[in-house]
Amino acid sequence: MDTNKSPEPTQASNFIRNIVAEDIKNNKNSGKVITRFPPEPNGYLHIGHAKSICLNFGLAAEFNGICNLRFDDTNPSKEEQEYVDSIMADVRWLGFDWQERLYFASDYFERLYDFAVQLINSGKAYVCDLSGDEIRQYRGTLTEPGKESPYRNRTVEENLDLFERMRKGEFPDGARVLRAKIDMSSGNINMRDPVMYRIKHEDHQRTGSKWCIYPMYDYAHPLSDSIEGITHSVCTMEYEDHRPLYDWFLEQLDICRTQQIEFARLNITYTVLSKRKLLKLVSENFVSGWDDPRMPTIAGMRRRGYPPAAIRNFCDRIGVGKRDSMVDMALLEFCVREDLNKTALRVMSVLKPLKVVITNYPEGQYDELDAVNNPEDSSAGTRKVPFSRELYIEQDDFMEEPPKQFFRLAPGREVRLRYAYFIKCESVVKDSAGNIVEIHCTYDPATRGGDAPDGRKVKATLHWVSAAHALDAEVRLYDTLFAKEAPDDIEEGMEFTENLNPKSLEKNIAKVEPSLKSAQPGAQYQFERLGYFCVDSFDSKTGHPVFNRIVTLKDEWAKIQKTAKK
Ligand code: ATP
Ligand code: MG
């Protein structure tokens, strides 16, 4: 796998779009475009699924077609209603609409059964009594052909009888399977009499106890596509070798031919995108749930505060190709920042407070200053921020003995407080252990609003809050979930969870400006100089918001692009 850190092309390439455009030109499928997004309800959706959703719904939208939502619910042991509900909520939140076309593979069980009977009747399927292990042994390898099952030449009558009795529940799990009769010496292992149905005495979340035989993905998927008249069945590269089998079922049954097209799945640095691994993180409490804001799930990103438009934009930018690649997390964050820059209101908050006393400002008095809500959007207006004798600034914005490159506040130095005044540090107050507890400054009333009438300049502008007016709020700062760029690269005997980043979550009690008292769950803000933050939808209480940092303001992606150009 190569790491794709090159600057993004202006128009991301998408080879599937070209195929569809060509098909329309040739009036293939009478010019119709019908796609589908086919999740298995065995986990929450992640950013990789978002790529598939944007692609499938995007193709339909672009070519005046439709896109179905179809649950691939053929394995009751791993599937749950909770996942069905979350998947629908996530697709909707991403901005896509399947209208009335919500389908379930389980709705087709009866028809899939009839198709199987048809294949038995034409001598193309048989009931096999080999065990799972035996079937594997008989299958052969990449270099050796397989061996035919001793049950391969059962008569049609016997097969029909056994298959019907499988359905009726006469046999225990694993006793028999239905297999397609294709070619045990095929160079493609998928064509060596693949299993179509297995016995599973297990209730299904939709069909209850009606069935005890369940179709395999490779059988259910092409038929479901065909039943819905899907024109382009878009899936990830691992199904490329299954395509001959996909085509085989549709040819044998002589039903609507859907074209399967494979594309490279999305991988992102510093995270994993496998439902099995994400499930492990949740079930073993490495994270707080599927919607933990560090998770690469859609639910996690929503809770973190990523705007859906930013995710769609990201999916557009990465393009669609056939080569496996690793996309830098910095590109996703760039898209998030780009979107929030236009929409998020600016406010001031101090994450690690240091008290500042303005010695020449009268005690008990306060002042209200005008602050701009969003410099990118004049319609967002202004708000009042209170200024008083005691303020907080960021600990990092003061140094008693500043090195050369440090331009912020230091003894004897003057800086600007955003929207307020110039202040000058006069002295430092320490406790008995020598720790700085507060600093004493004077302010220049003539600089109200932030500029000096005599034209004198300062080298830094700091954010701040008024101590008496500020609100305490929990702020959660996130780092990448994994410490390693490719967490899946592990040595033998090691678990991917060993690559988790122990510093992925830091909690602070911050001082935030009073206007945030009424901040609504889900609302996004820019805390000036600190990043974009979102009011947590689950842990915030009325009047007591909890904030998640969505992204910092640092544009790592620009840095990566610059080094790539050098
Ligand atoms: P599994 O099949 O192992 O449970 P899956 O991630 O393939 O996991 P599905 O529910 O089958 O999950 O996925 C639904 C659709 O999303 C499929 O068409 C699949 O190809 C696509 N998809 C899944 N992961 C990615 C990814 N990382 N990038 C792009 N598309 C993906
Ligand atoms: Mg899958």
Side-chain angles (χ1 to χ4, degrees):
M1 188 184 302
D2 53 36
T3 303
N4 174 11
K5 285 187 175 170
S6 53
E8 90 247 24
T10 29
Q11 162 81 56
S13 63
N14 175 340
F15 77 99
I16 300 182
R17 185 194 286 138
N18 301 341
I19 293 176
V20 175
E22 190 62 26
D23 287 349
I24 291 177
K25 212 171 83 192
N26 297 329
N27 204 34
K28 192 173 165 189
N29 310 307
S30 324
K32 271 189 308 189
V33 175
I34 308 177
T35 57
R36 86 290 172 259
F37 174 62
E40 183 180 356
N42 62 352
Y44 277 58
L45 298 181
H46 56 60
I47 183 77
H49 295 116
K51 177 178 178 178
S52 176
I53 293 167
C54 290
L55 177 57
N56 279 299
F57 281 92
L59 287 169
E62 182 173 347
F63 295 104
N64 212 3
I66 52 177
C67 178
N68 301 346
L69 175 62
R70 182 205 318 139
F71 284 96
D72 218 324
D73 56 346
T74 51
N75 182 3
S77 356
K78 291 187 176 167
E79 298 162 2
E80 283 172 32
Q81 187 60 36
E82 176 193 348
Y83 298 137
V84 171
D85 296 340
S86 77
I87 289 169
M88 291 202 284
D90 289 349
V91 174
R92 257 193 218 113
W93 177 78
L94 272 177
F96 298 105
D97 184 4
W98 54 89
Q99 295 158 321
E100 74 291 351
R101 297 178 313 278
L102 170 63
Y103 302 127
F104 292 82
S106 56
D107 291 342
Y108 309 140
F109 280 173
E110 199 65 56
R111 290 164 84 178
L112 299 185
Y113 181 86
D114 290 344
F115 281 129
V117 168
Q118 208 177 309
L119 287 171
I120 294 174
N121 272 317
S122 55
K124 296 294 179 185
Y126 63 98
V127 172
C128 179
D129 302 358
L130 292 179
S131 70
D133 279 344
E134 286 166 330
I135 288 180
R136 233 164 285 130
Q137 281 162 23
Y138 275 67
R139 190 178 290 139
T141 64
L142 284 174
T143 49
E144 279 168 58
K147 228 167 46 179
E148 293 190 352
S149 160
Y151 305 99
R152 198 173 198 257
N153 295 313
R154 277 181 162 148
T155 62
V156 167
E157 290 66 36
E158 191 180 2
N159 282 319
L160 287 174
D161 172 62
L162 286 172
F163 188 48
E164 194 184 338
R165 288 163 60 199
M166 277 170 64
R167 176 183 181 162
K168 281 188 183 148
E170 288 187 22
F171 313 116
D173 287 9
R176 295 194 154 91
V177 292
L178 183 73
R179 299 176 69 173
K181 193 171 184 176
I182 310 180
D183 178 5
M184 287 309 289
S185 58
S186 169
N188 183 339
I189 292 185
N190 295 301
M191 301 298 274
R192 296 184 188 168
D193 292 10
V195 173
M196 295 164 58
Y197 272 90
R198 60 212 191 288
I199 302 172
K200 230 178 217 260
H201 289 270
E202 214 167 314
D203 282 4
H204 183 280
Q205 70 274 12
R206 286 180 63 83
T207 56
S209 58
K210 182 163 180 218
W211 294 88
C212 63
I213 56 171
Y214 290 98
M216 303 297 289
Y217 175 91
D218 276 340
Y219 174 67
H221 201 79
L223 297 194
S224 304
D225 281 344
S226 180
I227 288 170
E228 291 174 19
I230 302 297
T231 57
H232 301 83
S233 175
V234 172
C235 64
T236 35
M237 287 308 294
E238 67 268 26
Y239 293 107
E240 192 175 32
D241 292 343
H242 298 238
R243 189 179 347 121
L245 179 56
Y246 183 103
D247 293 340
W248 188 87
F249 282 123
L250 301 187
E251 268 161 38
Q252 296 305 317
L253 291 163
D254 196 21
I255 50 179
C256 170
R257 307 293 161 84
T258 301
Q259 182 186 359
Q260 174 178 301
I261 309 170
E262 310 87 18
F263 70 99
R265 56 194 304 128
L266 171 64
N267 299 291
I268 295 196
T269 55
Y270 297 103
T271 196
V272 294
L273 294 182
S274 137
K275 277 196 275 192
R276 188 179 55 78
K277 289 182 180 163
L278 295 175
L279 176 63
K280 185 178 167 81
L281 294 179
V282 173
S283 57
E284 296 181 19
N285 298 314
F286 288 104
V287 293
S288 66
W290 284 101
D291 68 350
D292 185 302
R294 294 166 294 180
M295 288 281 272
T297 51
I298 306 298
M301 292 181 178
R302 172 169 61 230
R303 183 166 174 193
R304 174 95 167 241
Y306 282 26
I311 297 175
R312 294 196 301 267
N313 229 319
F314 168 76
C315 292
D316 270 353
R317 270 178 217 250
I318 56 176
V320 179
K322 276 195 171 276
R323 210 175 43 148
D324 235 354
S325 72
M326 174 86 99
V327 176
D328 207 292
M329 181 65 111
L331 176 59
L332 177 56
E333 295 188 338
F334 169 87
C335 295
V336 169
R337 219 174 266 123
E338 184 183 53
D339 191 271
L340 291 172
N341 180 45
K342 288 178 275 179
T343 56
L345 298 182
R346 273 58 168 174
V347 292
M348 290 197 288
S349 295
V350 175
L351 295 185
K352 291 189 182 135
L354 170 63
K355 186 172 269 184
V356 173
V357 180
I358 310 291
T359 54
N360 60 340
Y361 194 92
E363 258 172 80
Q365 189 176 313
Y366 78 97
D367 197 352
E368 283 196 314
L369 298 155
D370 289 316
V372 176
N373 285 332
N374 186 353
E376 303 287 321
D377 173 11
S378 55
S379 71
T382 60
R383 71 187 182 288
K384 299 281 185 199
V385 290
F387 181 90
S388 64
R389 182 179 160 90
E390 293 196 350
L391 315 170
Y392 290 113
I393 64 167
E394 213 66 64
Q395 286 170 15
D396 288 350
D397 283 336
F398 176 78
M399 281 186 98
E400 196 176 9
E401 288 164 26
K404 249 195 180 149
Q405 292 306 309
F406 188 87
F407 299 113
R408 292 166 267 167
L409 197 60
R413 196 182 281 174
E414 194 171 44
V415 296
R416 174 190 292 111
L417 292 184
R418 183 100 161 124
Y419 304 121
Y421 302 97
F422 284 11
I423 60 167
K424 187 174 173 189
C425 176
E426 307 289 353
S427 64
V428 176
V429 180
K430 295 183 182 176
D431 63 14
S432 55
N435 301 311
I436 299 172
V437 288
E438 57 184 47
I439 58 177
H440 287 184
C441 297
T442 50
Y443 85 116
D444 177 0
T447 57
R448 187 184 162 93
D451 282 311
D454 64 5
R456 80 184 187 278
K457 299 281 179 224
V458 287
K459 286 204 169 129
T461 299
L462 310 185
H463 60 277
W464 55 277
V465 292
S466 165
H469 301 87
L471 230 58
D472 282 347
E474 183 178 316
V475 170
R476 298 170 183 173
L477 305 178
Y478 299 103
D479 195 355
T480 53
L481 183 53
F482 288 89
K484 210 169 147 187
E485 190 171 84
D488 283 324
D489 282 354
I490 44 173
E491 282 160 39
E492 224 177 279
M494 210 179 134
E495 274 281 1
F496 77 100
T497 48
E498 291 173 52
N499 287 327
L500 279 163
N501 177 5
K503 297 198 184 108
S504 59
L505 170 60
E506 176 192 329
K507 290 184 181 180
N508 275 320
I509 299 296
K511 298 284 183 185
V512 306
E513 69 166 67
S515 73
L516 289 172
K517 196 174 171 81
S518 55
Q520 293 303 306
Q524 295 131 324
Y525 296 92
Q526 185 191 103
F527 288 5
E528 295 210 24
R529 298 176 66 225
L530 298 173
Y532 292 98
F533 290 75
C534 177
V535 181
D536 191 85
S537 299
F538 296 89
D539 295 335
S540 298
K541 306 256 165 357
T542 312
H544 296 281
V546 171
F547 292 93
N548 294 314
R549 177 148 69 188
I550 310 169
V551 276
T552 63
L553 295 175
K554 254 190 272 154
D555 185 0
E556 298 291 339
W557 181 246
K559 233 194 297 176
I560 290 165
Q561 277 182 293
K562 236 186 243 159
T563 27
K565 272 186 197 142
K566 269 182 200 157

